[in-house]
C-alpha cells in the first residue's frame, strides 16, 4: 500500500505541476496577446496621427500658399513620393493614366496599331513599325512617314507621348492623319478608324531550319516565341504547340527572352502544357490570408515527354520566371541563356475612388522547389527606401523534383549559360538606341524600302555587297561620328596622371596608346560588317514581313538558339542535365 500511496502522491504532484505549467502558458499567451494588441493599437494610432498630419498640411497649403494649388497634381505627387519608399512595382494611377494600366494588364488598347518614334535629325515624330493587319498597315502607312497633323491639330512640334495620345482613343472613332513621305516628298492624307489593338504576345512560331547547326541530326524542332503574358496567351501557346506537333515537331524551344511577364494564371496554364494535372506550380505568400494562394495545373497536359528547352535572359521576369523556374524545378525542361531578372513579387490592381487605381505588391511567389527568386530586397529606413541586392553567398540551396540543386535569390540561373554577343559601340550609336543625330541607318533603310517593292522571303533575304557599300558611303557622307568608351577612359586616365604628376614620364606610352585607340568610322564599319548587315536586314525584313518575319530571319544569327538546337540533337547530354550528379 505504501507503494500505491507513494505513486498516488507522485501523480498528484505531477498533476499540480501540469496545472501550474498550464497556468503559466495561459499567462504567457495572455501577455503576448496583450503585447500584440498594444502594438496593433499603437500602429493604428500612428496611422491615424500621420493621416491627420498629412490632411492638416495640405489644408494649410491650400489655404495659405502664395499660389493656387492643383489638388490632383499636388496630392498625386505626394502619393507617388510615398510609394517610392516601397518597391518600384507598387504604383498609383490617377484617372488620366488608368488606361495605361489596363493596357499593361490586357495588352489591349484602341488606336491604329503602329510604333512611332522621334526622328533626331528631322525633329519630327515618324512611323517606325506598323503592326500586321492593323489600321495603320491596312491604310498604307509606312516606315519613315512623318506625321504632320491629326485632324486639325498640328503635330510637327510635338513629342512622341503627345502624338501617341492623339492617335489613341475610343474604338470606332475616325480621324484623318496627314503625313509626309520622305522618299517621294509628297504629302498624303489617310482616314483611319481606331480599333481595339491587342499587341501580338505570340509574334512567331514555326519549325526551325535544321541547317542552323551543322553536323546535327535532321530532327524536327519547333520554336515558339512569347513576348508577354497577357489574357488568353496560354490558349495561343497551346494552339501553336499542337500545330507544331501536327507538323512533326519532335522537340521544342520555348523562347522567353525579353518577356517581362504579366498574368500569373497564364503562366500556370502554359506550364500545364508539359506537366501533369494537379501539380503545384506557384504559391503566393502575403501578410494577410487573402494574399496567400496556391496555383495548380488544372487541365490534362498536351505532352509530358517531348524534349523542351526554355530560352531566358536578363529581361526574362515575373510570370516568365514562374514558367521557366517551374519547368526547371519539375525537371521538365533545360533552361538555356543567362540569369533572369529576379522578380519574385506579386501585384494586384485595386480600384480606388474617383476612377483611380493602385497596383499593389501583396505577396512573394514561390515555385515548386519552394524557392523565391526575388533578387532585390526593398527595405525602408529613416530617409525612405533603398535597394539591397541579394548576394550569391547568401542564397540558399533547394532541390528540383529529381534532386538537382537550385538556388533562391537572383533570378533563375540557367542549366546551360550562353552569353549574348556584345554590341560594339558603333552598332549601338548607329541604332535607334544610340539616338544618332544623323539618323543615317534609319534613313538608309527607309530609302531602301522605297526602291524595292518586294524582297525575298525572310530566311532567304540578304543585302548585296553593293547595298552595303552604299550604306557605308551614306554613313561617311552623313558626318556620323561617335565617342568610343576606350578613348574617353584614356582621357580620364591622362587627367589623373597629370594631377598625380606621372604624365610627363609616361608621355610616350600615353601617346602610343592614344594612336592605337583612335577610331576611324570606315575601319570600324568594315570590322563589324557582319553585325551591321544583320541589323540592316532585320530592319528591312520587318517593314515587309512585320515582327514575325524579323524574328524568323534573326534565328540564323542566334547563338543561344543554336546551343538549344545542339542540346536537343544530343539526347544523352540533354538527359544528363536533368539528372542529379554525384558530388565529387
Amino acid at each position: 500500500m505504501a507503494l500505491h500511496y507513494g505513486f498516488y502522491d507522485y501523480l498528484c504532484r505531477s498533476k499540480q505541476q501540469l496545472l501550474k505549467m498550464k497556468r503559466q502558458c495561459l499567462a504567457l499567451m495572455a501577455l503576448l496577446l496583450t503585447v500584440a494588441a498594444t502594438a496593433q493599437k499603437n500602429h493604428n494610432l500612428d496611422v491615424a496621427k500621420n493621416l491627420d498630419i498629412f490632411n492638416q498640411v495640405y489644408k494649410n497649403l491650400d489655404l495659405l500658399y502664395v499660389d493656387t494649388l492643383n489638388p490632383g497634381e499636388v496630392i498625386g505627387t505626394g502619393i507617388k513620393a510615398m510609394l517610392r519608399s516601397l518597391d518600384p512595382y507598387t504604383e498609383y494611377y490617377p484617372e488620366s493614366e488608368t488606361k495605361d494600366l489596363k493596357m499593361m494588364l490586357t495588352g489591349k488598347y484602341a488606336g491604329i496599331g503602329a510604333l512611332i518614334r522621334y526622328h533626331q535629325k528631322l525633329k519630327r515624330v515618324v512611323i517606325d513599325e506598323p503592326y500586321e493587319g492593323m489600321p495603320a498597315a491596312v491604310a498604307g502607312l509606312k516606315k519613315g512617314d512623318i506625321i504632320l497633323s491629326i485632324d486639325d491639330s498640328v503635330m510637327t512640334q510635338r513629342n512622341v507621348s503627345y502624338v501617341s495620345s492623339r492617335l489613341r482613343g475610343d474604338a470606332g472613332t475616325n480621324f484623318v492623319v496627314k503625313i509626309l513621305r520622305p522618299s517621294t516628298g509628297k504629302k498624303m492624307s489617310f482616314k483611319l478608324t481606331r480599333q481595339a489593338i491587342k499587341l501580338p504576345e505570340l509574334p512567331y512560331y514555326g519549325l526551325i531550319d535544321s541547317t542552323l547547326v551543322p553536323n546535327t541530326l535532321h530532327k524536327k524542332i519547333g520554336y515558339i516565341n512569347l513576348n508577354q503574358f497577357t489574357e488568353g496567351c496560354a490558349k495561343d501557346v497551346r494552339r501553336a504547340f499542337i500545330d507544331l506537333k501536327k507538323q512533326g515537331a519532335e522537340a521544342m524551344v520555348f523562347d522567353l527572352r525579353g518577356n517581362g511577364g504579366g498574368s500569373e494564371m497564364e503562366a500556370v496554364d502554359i506550364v500545364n502544357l508539359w506537366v501533369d494535372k494537379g501539380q503545384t506550380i506557384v504559391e503566393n505568400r502575403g501578410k494577410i490570408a487573402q494574399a496567400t494562394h496556391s496555383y495548380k495545373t488544372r487541365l490534362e497536359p498536351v505532352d509530358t515527354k517531348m524534349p523542351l528547352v526554355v530560352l531566358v535572359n536578363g529581361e526574362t521576369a515575373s510570370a516568365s520566371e514562374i514558367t521557366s523556374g517551374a519547368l526547371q524545378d519539375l525537371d521538365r525542361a533545360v533552361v538555356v541563356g543567362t540569369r533572369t531578372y529576379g522578380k519574385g513579387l506579386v501585384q494586384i490592381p485595386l480600384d480606388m475612388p474617383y476612377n483611380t487605381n493602385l497596383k499593389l505588391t501583396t505577396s512573394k511567389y514561390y515555385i515548386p522547389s519552394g524557392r523565391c527568386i526575388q533578387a532585390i530586397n526593398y527595405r525602408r529606413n529613416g530617409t525612405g527606401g533603398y535597394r539591397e541586392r541579394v548576394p550569391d553567398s547568401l542564397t540558399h540551396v533547394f532541390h528540383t523534383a529529381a534532386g538537382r540543386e537550385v538556388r533562391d535569390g537572383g533570378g533563375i540561373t540557367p542549366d546551360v549559360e550562353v552569353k549574348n554577343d556584345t554590341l560594339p559601340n558603333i552598332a549601338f550609336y548607329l541604332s535607334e538606341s544610340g539616338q544618332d543625330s544623323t539618323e543615317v541607318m534609319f534613313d538608309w533603310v527607309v530609302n531602301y524600302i522605297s526602291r524595292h517593292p518586294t524582297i525575298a522571303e525572310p530566311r532567304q533575304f540578304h543585302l548585296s555587297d553593293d547595298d552595303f557599300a552604299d550604306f557605308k558611303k551614306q554613313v561617311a557622307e552623313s558626318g556620323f561620328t561617335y565617342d568610343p568608351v576606350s578613348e574617353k577612359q584614356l582621357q580620364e586616365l591622362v587627367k589623373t596622371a597629370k594631377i598625380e604628376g606621372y604624365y610627363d614620364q609616361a608621355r610616350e606610352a600615353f601617346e602610343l596608346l592614344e594612336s592605337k585607340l583612335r577610331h576611324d568610322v570606315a575601319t570600324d564599319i568594315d570590322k563589324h560588317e557582319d553585325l551591321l548587315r544583320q541589323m540592316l536586314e532585320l530592319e528591312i525584313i520587318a517593314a515587309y514581313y512585320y515582327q514575325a518575319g524579323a524574328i524568323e530571319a534573326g534565328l540564323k544569327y542566334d547563338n543561344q538558339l543554336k546551343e538549344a538546337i545542339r542540346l536537343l540533337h544530343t539526347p544523352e547530354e540533354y538527359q544528363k542535365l536533368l539528372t542529379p550528379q554525384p558530388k565529387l
Side-chain angles (χ1 to χ4, degrees):
M1 293 298 292
L3 178 63
H4 172 77
Y5 284 118
F7 182 65
Y8 177 77
D9 184 56
Y10 170 77
L11 287 177
C12 290
R13 288 199 307 271
S14 297
K15 186 175 181 180
Q16 289 172 353
Q17 289 174 348
L18 287 172
L19 289 171
K20 182 178 180 181
M21 289 176 61
K22 184 176 180 181
R23 286 195 296 269
Q24 288 174 338
C25 288
L26 289 172
L28 180 60
M29 288 177 62
L31 177 62
L32 291 174
L33 288 171
T34 301
V35 170
T38 302
Q40 183 63 41
K41 182 179 179 181
N42 290 339
H43 175 76
N44 293 340
L45 180 62
D46 282 344
V47 170
K49 180 177 71 175
N50 283 283
L51 285 174
D52 188 37
I53 292 170
F54 183 87
N55 186 40
Q56 290 300 320
V57 167
Y58 183 77
K59 279 186 175 181
N60 281 283
L61 284 173
D62 191 51
L63 179 65
L64 301 173
Y65 188 69
V66 63
D67 295 324
T68 302
L69 301 182
N70 180 325
E73 181 180 340
V74 174
I75 295 179
T77 300
I79 292 172
K80 290 185 177 182
M82 174 175 60
L83 298 184
R84 278 199 297 272
S85 70
L86 307 177
D87 65 86
Y89 312 110
T90 297
E91 297 179 280
Y92 169 70
Y93 291 83
E95 185 176 7
S96 60
E97 298 176 14
T98 52
K99 288 183 178 180
D100 296 334
L101 176 62
K102 184 178 179 181
M103 189 190 83
M104 181 178 66
L105 296 173
T106 66
K108 299 176 183 177
Y109 68 97
I112 66 170
L115 290 177
I116 59 176
R117 57 165 290 192
Y118 190 78
H119 194 286
Q120 298 291 327
K121 184 178 180 181
L122 297 173
K123 308 298 182 187
R124 298 285 184 270
V125 176
V126 301
I127 299 291
D128 188 12
E129 182 184 343
Y131 297 140
E132 184 175 11
M134 295 293 104
V138 172
L141 289 172
K142 296 181 180 294
K143 185 184 185 76
D145 287 346
I146 302 167
I147 300 174
L148 300 178
S149 65
I150 298 173
D151 285 334
D152 296 328
S153 299
V154 177
M155 297 290 130
T156 52
Q157 302 298 322
R158 301 296 187 175
N159 59 27
V160 170
S161 177
Y162 184 90
V163 176
S164 176
S165 68
R166 296 312 184 268
L167 291 174
R168 294 180 183 181
D170 295 329
T173 56
N174 300 318
F175 69 98
V176 175
V177 60
K178 183 181 288 186
I179 61 98
L180 173 65
R181 184 153 290 167
S183 58
T184 63
K186 292 182 179 179
K187 293 181 179 179
M188 308 170 69
S189 294
F190 297 86
K191 185 175 181 180
L192 300 174
T193 300
R194 296 181 182 92
Q195 72 176 57
I197 307 295
K198 191 173 189 299
L199 302 178
E201 69 277 328
L202 202 161
Y204 176 77
Y205 76 89
L207 293 177
I208 294 172
D209 186 350
S210 60
T211 63
L212 287 179
V213 180
N215 304 318
T216 54
L217 303 171
H218 293 292
K219 182 182 289 186
K220 286 188 176 182
I221 296 177
Y223 171 86
I224 299 175
N225 183 296
L226 183 71
N227 61 22
Q228 54 188 333
F229 282 77
T230 50
E231 294 175 7
C233 71
K235 293 180 180 178
D236 292 334
V237 174
R238 175 179 286 267
R239 281 192 288 266
F241 181 58
I242 292 173
D243 186 26
L244 290 170
K245 280 176 64 74
K246 288 179 180 178
Q247 294 181 47
E250 304 164 76
M252 190 66 53
V253 176
F254 188 39
D255 193 346
L256 293 177
R257 291 172 297 179
N259 188 321
S263 169
E264 192 175 30
M265 200 61 237
E266 296 294 330
V268 174
D269 286 345
I270 287 174
V271 174
N272 196 175
L273 296 176
W274 300 298
V275 304
D276 289 324
K277 180 180 178 180
Q279 287 274 9
T280 298
I281 303 302
V282 62
E283 182 182 351
N284 297 344
R285 301 176 193 170
K287 186 166 65 175
I288 61 174
Q290 293 90 328
T292 299
H293 303 281
S294 182
Y295 295 98
K296 296 184 177 184
T297 51
R298 51 201 177 90
L299 303 171
E300 293 301 327
V302 177
D303 193 314
T304 61
K305 302 297 183 184
M306 181 185 288
L308 175 66
V309 169
V310 181
L311 296 179
V312 298
N313 64 8
E315 296 175 353
T316 301
S318 187
S320 294
E321 293 176 292
I322 292 173
T323 302
S324 55
L327 290 169
Q328 185 182 58
D329 282 358
L330 297 171
D331 303 294
R332 181 60 188 88
V334 171
V335 180
V336 172
T338 56
R339 186 185 291 193
T340 63
Y341 182 82
K343 181 177 180 289
L345 304 177
V346 180
Q347 291 76 44
I348 62 170
L350 294 176
D351 292 331
M352 304 298 286
Y354 304 103
N355 298 317
T356 61
N357 210 292
L358 181 67
K359 180 164 67 71
L360 176 64
T361 298
T362 57
S363 57
K364 292 184 178 181
Y365 69 75
Y366 297 79
I367 50 180
S369 63
R371 56 180 169 149
C372 176
I373 51 85
Q374 177 66 22
I376 298 175
N377 287 328
Y378 298 98
R379 302 181 183 274
R380 295 178 298 282
N381 57 20
T383 60
Y386 68 94
R387 299 181 175 194
E388 180 184 67
R389 188 167 188 89
V390 179
D392 290 344
S393 59
L394 295 182
T395 58
H396 305 90
V397 172
F398 291 78
H399 294 89
T400 69
R404 295 185 297 143
E405 285 191 1
V406 288
R407 286 186 170 270
D408 63 356
I412 304 298
T413 299
D415 302 303
V416 179
E417 183 179 27
V418 181
K419 293 183 177 179
N420 289 317
D421 293 334
T422 56
L423 188 68
N425 282 344
I426 189 170
F428 172 78
Y429 282 103
L430 280 169
S431 70
E432 179 185 345
S433 300
Q435 296 187 335
D436 169 31
S437 61
T438 69
E439 294 279 8
V440 61
M441 177 175 278
F442 183 87
D443 289 346
W444 189 87
V445 169
V446 170
N447 289 331
Y448 183 95
I449 294 167
S450 70
R451 299 193 308 268
H452 297 81
T454 60
I455 61 171
E457 296 280 327
R459 294 189 186 189
Q460 281 74 47
F461 174 75
H462 290 286
L463 287 176
S464 68
D465 291 340
D466 288 342
D467 290 330
F468 191 79
D470 181 63
F471 169 71
K472 183 178 176 181
K473 178 184 175 184
Q474 291 296 321
V475 173
E477 293 177 352
S478 71
F480 167 80
T481 187
Y482 71 99
D483 297 322
V485 174
S486 56
E487 279 191 20
K488 286 184 175 180
Q489 291 178 339
L490 176 60
Q491 291 168 6
E492 290 299 318
L493 182 59
V494 167
K495 288 180 182 178
T496 303
K498 287 181 178 179
I499 291 171
E500 296 181 347
Y502 298 121
Y503 179 75
D504 289 338
Q505 64 190 51
R507 182 190 298 271
E508 289 186 8
F510 277 120
E511 290 176 349
L512 178 62
L513 184 57
E514 184 180 6
S515 67
K516 296 290 186 182
L517 295 179
R518 189 176 295 120
H519 79 284
D520 176 81
V521 172
T523 301
D524 289 349
I525 289 177
D526 289 338
K527 182 180 179 181
H528 302 290
E529 178 178 340
D530 289 345
L531 177 60
L532 293 173
R533 277 179 178 268
Q534 293 172 25
M535 292 170 64
L536 291 168
E537 288 173 3
L538 296 182
E539 285 288 320
I540 291 167
I541 289 169
Y544 294 88
Y545 297 102
Y546 303 98
Q547 192 177 8
I551 292 173
E552 181 182 6
L555 298 181
K556 57 179 174 281
Y557 306 120
D558 193 333
N559 290 330
Q560 292 175 332
L561 174 66
K562 290 177 182 178
E563 174 61 16
I565 296 171
R566 189 194 67 77
L567 279 173
L568 291 171
H569 280 101
T570 316
E572 299 82 4
E573 185 175 351
Y574 173 89
Q575 198 56 47
K576 184 178 180 181
L577 288 166
L578 296 175
T579 305
Q581 300 302 308
K583 292 184 178 180
L584 299 176

